[in-house]
Amino acid sequence: MSNVLKVENVTMQFGGVVAVDNLNLEVNKGEIVSLIGPNGAGKTTAFNVITGVYAPTNGAVYFNENKIIENHPQGKMKKLYRGENNGKYHTSLAPTPDKITKLGIARTFQNIRLFKSQTVFENILIAKHCRRTSNLFTATFHLNGKEEAQMREETEKLLKILELENVKDELATSLPYGKQRRLEIARALATEPSLLLLDEPAAGMNPQETDELTAFIGRIRDEFGLTIFMIEHHMDLVMEISDRIYVLDFGKMIASGVPEEIQNNPRVIEAYLGGAADE
Amino acid sequence: MTKKKETIINVSLIVALLAVLYVMEHTLPSTAMIFTVLKKGAIYALVAVSMNLLNGFTGLFSLGQAGFMLLGAYTYGILTIPVEQREFVYMYYDGGIIHFSVPVVVALVAAGAVAAFFAYLIGLPVLRLKSDYLAIATLGFAEIIRAVFQWDKLGPVTNGSNLLKSYPTFRSVIFPFVVSGICIAIIVMLINSTYGRAFKAIRDDEVAAEAMGINLAHHKRLAFVISSFFAGISGALLAMYQTTIQASMFKSAMTYEILLIVVIGGIGSITGSCISSFLFIILSEWLLRFLDSEMYIGDFKVPLLRAGFRKVVFSIIIMVIVLFFRKGIMGTKEFSVRGIYNFFKKRAQRKNAVQGGDSNE
């Protein structure tokens, strides 16, 4: 199996704080992989590195076995750097988030970030912008009618598949919470990704909504031929749908493996599940 | 209502408007106040819409509009002064260094292009800034431009702090309406295109927009450059309307006037900007004029009325709007034939429902 995403020796240091420390992980094609860990473990930071929001302090990220991000400590960070593998990387490759999205990595956010003044339909239509072939001139003078029609058609199709059809003309923010989450995923799918990153998709959901989401994630993986990498706190959800799990604590990877291994790993129980079991 | 029908109605409305203007021009005396209002209103509508594209649709709070209008006005003037007139206009600078002139339409496009070019250059550093900081930087730029154009050393081109005059102007009120109309139509088409949607996405949430593959730097620059292009054209129109150009005209107060129009009309509404620009001009040039002159009713001198009082009244109106009608006239809605049609249709349906009749849908 070829890996879709490979994170190699990634360290992210803010000033003197090492948020992610020498992270190595791989996500293979068609898998659902979860990244778990206590609050402040550096999960979202890892996501932000992969999606180009932060350039890592050191390390590299590969997508479909092509290097997309690489960095090494520079400037002031040369002295401050406390991570490992200093000197292993020499070039600096830091694309902006929009370029990463164009490569085929889409993401959702921990706190929902929809386009508030737009309808459900428009929210998804906007995401189609990055796959346009028209330029400013042809778009302004509506010479790209065919493409525009195709964008709208694809959006309709996506709405149908994700069962958001009946609310398509409503304002995105007027939807109930669960549907807003679903819309955010739909919007990410509209950018035609092959790898989908979900940042706590079940945050703030009730058990019933979580169950629905679990089925939903499995379904879109199959339907869109996706690979899914997600951060999640709901252990039921994680254990049920993950093919593999990585566990972060204080920026360091402390365990990885299939759900059963993780459940029985003493370090994980101590760091994370232990606390939950006491409740 | 079908799309075709809607287009027909819209086109006939535009034709009707132009016809009315034409008739008015041939029946009313050319000094009538209404023409001043219409001409200036059309010009301000264009610049207000261009500012709205930036502030209302892309979420970039820029206050450089007067600076770009100045660039447009000067470009237009410099390029169109007839060769034989240059000696008189540039009398302190030996007739200037430019010895050709171009047709009006070419000069109008050039006015926009020069403003857009400067916007591109300025955009490189200042578009990294956000909200208030961007406003301050662009405002500063506008002031700098104004000072530079009055600089003596640039006299052979800009005529220093002297007037530019004798360039071709318009007499008919139809000219500014047509030019502004075309420009506003292009802006509307842009906003309705996929790029317009990307602009709105940036306004709503930059982080999400970027994660959806929208290149922030590129799109912000586009909006800034396009907005400045049309501000440049409106500057050229304003120069034609005023028949003389002087850098000191384009003070930051002008930007505030435009901002005021945008706010009154509704940030994020094209038709709102158009309506409020005419409203603003009618009030400031016509209806509120009496506030500036002393008035006697019999022997009684009406208190407070004196030069400058108009500004006081205006300030109060602004405060009332900002405090109580923050959305402006239109909010983010648009005024359209379809909208009116749907409104009446709904009303008719409701009426039918109340009477117990069948609704049509």
Side-chain angles (χ1 to χ4, degrees), chain A residues 14-53:
Chain A
F14 298 103
V17 181
V18 183
V20 173
D21 193 358
N22 199 24
L23 180 67
N24 284 285
L25 57 82
E26 281 179 25
V27 179
N28 298 322
K29 195 163 170 38
E31 273 186 323
I32 296 181
V33 176
S34 296
L35 183 63
I36 63 172
N39 288 331
K43 305 179 297 291
T44 299
T45 307
F47 257 40
N48 282 341
V49 168
I50 296 166
T51 53
V53 176

Side-chain angles (χ1 to χ4, degrees), chain B residues 96-344:
Chain B
I97 53 165
I98 295 170
H99 296 289
F100 62 89
S101 52
V102 300
V104 170
V105 177
V106 177
L108 277 178
V109 175
V114 168
F117 174 71
F118 274 86
Y120 176 81
L121 291 183
I122 296 147
L124 292 178
V126 305
L127 287 180
R128 292 164 194 274
L129 303 171
K130 288 204 173 125
S131 62
D132 319 2
Y133 300 101
L134 177 65
I136 294 165
T138 46
L139 189 65
F141 149 75
E143 292 296 300
I144 292 168
I145 284 281
R146 190 160 63 86
V148 168
F149 270 73
Q150 288 174 309
W151 185 32
D152 203 40
K153 293 271 160 42
L154 281 176
V157 181
T158 64
N159 210 11
S161 54
N162 308 303
L163 289 176
L164 282 180
K165 55 187 181 217
S166 311
Y167 50 81
T169 57
F170 56 77
R171 297 193 60 119
S172 164
V173 69
I174 291 175
F175 182 82
F177 265 81
V178 168
V179 175
S180 288
I182 291 171
C183 292
I184 291 172
I186 292 173
I187 296 176
V188 170
M189 287 202 291
L190 172 71
I191 287 170
N192 289 332
S193 77
T194 178
Y195 280 87
R197 291 195 292 267
F199 291 160
K200 287 184 224 166
I202 292 173
R203 170 190 69 187
D204 282 358
D205 193 324
E206 276 192 16
V207 177
E210 198 173 26
M212 291 303 114
I214 296 168
N215 187 332
L216 285 187
H218 178 69
H219 283 82
K220 282 184 179 179
R221 205 183 307 132
L222 267 182
F224 194 56
V225 166
I226 293 167
S227 161
S228 305
F229 179 85
F230 290 111
I233 290 184
S234 71
L237 288 177
L238 191 66
M240 292 171 99
Y241 164 75
Q242 303 208 319
T243 68
T244 57
I245 304 169
Q246 202 172 16
S248 56
M249 254 163 52
F250 299 90
K251 291 204 175 75
S252 51
M254 185 182 253
T255 304
Y256 298 138
E257 279 181 358
I258 300 157
L259 182 64
L260 181 63
I261 290 171
V262 172
V263 171
I264 293 176
I267 296 174
S269 170
I270 298 285
T271 39
S273 290
C274 296
I275 293 169
S276 80
S277 81
F278 284 104
L279 206 63
F280 176 86
I281 300 293
I282 288 173
L283 286 178
S284 71
E285 300 276 321
W286 197 0
L287 299 183
L288 294 183
R289 264 281 155 88
F290 74 94
L291 293 171
D292 267 2
S293 51
E294 295 180 355
M295 190 163 68
Y296 290 91
I297 300 174
D299 274 346
F300 174 69
K301 180 170 181 271
V302 182
L304 293 175
L305 296 187
R306 69 195 61 157
F309 186 61
R310 192 166 47 141
K311 291 240 160 89
V312 178
V313 173
F314 240 99
S315 315
I316 294 168
I317 293 175
I318 296 164
M319 279 195 268
V320 169
I321 286 171
V322 170
L323 284 174
F324 301 110
F325 307 99
R326 218 162 294 170
K327 283 189 160 175
I329 300 171
M330 301 294 289
T332 53
K333 294 191 184 68
E334 295 292 351
F335 182 83
S336 67
V337 173
R338 182 175 286 273
I340 297 168
Y341 177 79
N342 288 344
F343 176 76
F344 281 109

Side-chain angles (χ1 to χ4, degrees), chain A residues 11-267:
Chain A
T11 300
M12 185 74 227
Q13 186 176 339
F14 298 103
V17 181
V18 183
V20 173
D21 193 358
N22 199 24
L23 180 67
N24 284 285
L25 57 82
E26 281 179 25
V27 179
N28 298 322
K29 195 163 170 38
E31 273 186 323
I32 296 181
V33 176
S34 296
L35 183 63
I36 63 172
N39 288 331
K43 305 179 297 291
T44 299
T45 307
F47 257 40
N48 282 341
V49 168
I50 296 166
T51 53
V53 176
Y54 302 138
T57 315
N58 193 40
V61 177
Y62 297 81
F63 178 58
N64 287 333
E65 296 177 0
N66 296 317
K67 192 186 286 175
I68 55 168
I69 299 169
E70 180 176 347
N71 206 0
H72 57 99
Q74 295 173 47
K76 248 201 282 184
M77 200 43 89
K78 260 184 194 160
K79 274 189 197 159
L80 278 172
Y81 188 63
R82 299 199 320 211
E84 294 161 59
N85 295 307
N86 200 354
K88 188 174 171 187
Y89 299 95
H90 301 285
T91 50
S92 190
L93 182 67
T96 47
D98 58 286
K99 298 220 171 63
I100 302 270
T101 306
K102 277 186 197 129
L103 290 172
I105 303 179
R107 74 172 292 181
T108 64
F109 295 90
Q110 192 173 347
N111 43 347
I112 299 176
R113 283 177 174 276
L114 291 169
F115 302 124
K116 294 186 189 69
S117 67
Q118 309 290 309
T119 63
V120 170
F121 184 80
E122 286 164 331
N123 259 279
I124 297 178
L125 194 56
I126 286 166
K128 287 273 163 211
H129 182 67
C130 73
R131 299 286 172 218
R132 72 189 181 276
T133 53
S134 57
N135 58 31
L136 183 67
F137 184 80
T138 55
T140 303
F141 294 98
H142 297 257
L143 303 173
N144 61 339
K146 221 176 182 180
E147 187 186 56
E148 184 77 22
Q150 197 194 343
M151 277 183 178
R152 286 174 187 274
E153 198 180 304
E154 283 171 3
T155 303
E156 294 276 1
K157 223 157 99 192
L158 207 56
L159 283 169
K160 206 175 225 171
I161 295 171
L162 301 193
E163 292 157 17
L164 288 166
E165 237 179 336
N166 48 347
V167 291
K168 73 172 194 170
D169 291 323
E170 282 181 41
L171 271 186
T173 43
S174 69
L175 295 185
Y177 193 79
K179 280 202 171 150
Q180 289 195 21
R181 282 271 173 213
R182 186 178 288 203
L183 172 59
E184 215 192 13
I185 294 174
R187 192 181 62 176
L189 290 176
T191 64
E192 296 165 31
S194 54
L195 171 66
L196 183 62
L197 304 183
L198 303 173
D199 196 346
E200 293 198 27
M205 284 188 173
N206 61 35
Q208 189 208 336
E209 283 174 325
T210 310
D211 284 346
E212 279 173 22
L213 184 79
T214 312
F216 176 69
I217 292 174
R219 192 159 69 86
I220 57 168
R221 190 249 319 249
D222 300 336
E223 221 154 305
F224 292 88
L226 288 173
T227 306
I228 294 175
F229 183 37
M230 67 173 185
I231 295 175
E232 191 43 73
H233 277 304
H234 279 63
M235 280 309 133
D236 302 342
L237 173 76
V238 170
M239 294 303 164
E240 193 176 330
I241 61 170
S242 303
D243 293 310
R244 286 183 302 117
I245 297 172
Y246 288 99
V247 189
L248 272 186
D249 194 19
F250 293 112
K252 270 190 187 298
M253 172 112 64
I254 57 170
S256 67
V258 295
E260 293 77 35
E261 287 172 351
I262 297 296
Q263 270 170 326
N264 301 323
N265 186 319
R267 282 188 72 186

